[in-house]
Amino acid sequence: MILTEICAYLKNYFQPSGKREDRSYVHIGTFEVTDGRISDIDFLKENQYFRIIDSALNDGVYCNSPEDLKKLKNETFSGAVWEMNVPPDFLKLCEDIKKWSDKNESADSINMSPFVAESFGGYSYSKTNSRVNQSSTGNAVTWHEQFAKRLNAWRKI
């Protein structure tokens, strides 16, 4: 669900170009999710990304692929499915963020330790004040900060 989180952070759901004024990329209705399939999504191409809105169990961004559709929970909802046109470069950025997050934002990562320095029993350590481990506030660096320059290219106001 990292793609959902990143799109929300950027306020960018990559609406298809040429469909801005008529909002024809937004499909409103009642949809049924059953065993990894969604009813009435013939408008999506294979492997096209889409966003589900107003679902109790499945709000978020998904790919119209068998692997991703298996993640959906069975339900019937009245809401919207938005077509998306996600660029490959953005998907690569999302992969990079996921890899970095898995490595640096896990509970056992030194980056997530609340301690800047610690000393006990003759042993001591201190984190460097570099952008790798800490933000300028002394807190752990998040993916938002680590990838800020690359994310800004995709940000919507």
Side-chain angles (χ1 to χ4, degrees), residues 88-153:
D89 289 346
F90 181 74
L91 293 174
K92 172 69 172 116
L93 172 59
C94 292
E95 283 178 33
D96 293 347
I97 290 172
K98 171 122 178 59
K99 286 177 190 173
W100 185 91
S101 295
D102 289 348
K103 179 181 176 188
N104 294 290
E105 293 184 343
S106 64
D108 60 347
S109 167
I110 193 167
N111 190 42
M112 294 309 287
S113 171
F115 305 107
V116 174
E118 183 174 42
S119 175
F120 54 90
Y123 170 79
S124 67
Y125 82 90
S126 63
K127 291 184 188 179
T128 62
N129 195 16
S130 70
R131 295 287 297 162
V132 175
N133 291 324
Q134 290 179 290
S135 69
S136 59
T137 63
N139 297 323
V141 172
T142 64
W143 62 263
H144 308 87
E145 295 169 309
Q146 184 69 24
F147 291 90
K149 287 181 183 174
R150 290 175 63 191
L151 287 165
N152 284 339

Side-chain angles (χ1 to χ4, degrees), residues 8-62:
Y9 175 71
L10 297 174
K11 297 179 177 84
N12 188 348
Y13 289 93
F14 299 95
Q15 64 197 33
S17 57
K19 295 185 176 183
R20 291 186 180 169
E21 281 120 37
D22 66 0
R23 295 181 61 89
S24 61
Y25 58 91
V26 177
H27 303 271
I28 299 171
T30 300
F31 301 90
E32 185 173 340
V33 180
T34 309
D35 299 326
R37 292 192 346 239
I38 304 177
S39 64
D40 303 322
I41 60 165
D42 319 356
F43 51 85
L44 291 174
K45 296 179 178 104
E46 188 175 333
N47 296 316
Q48 181 179 3
Y49 284 85
F50 63 96
R51 177 183 182 200
I52 295 178
I53 301 171
D54 290 335
S55 155
L57 303 175
N58 295 301
D59 270 12
V61 175
Y62 299 91

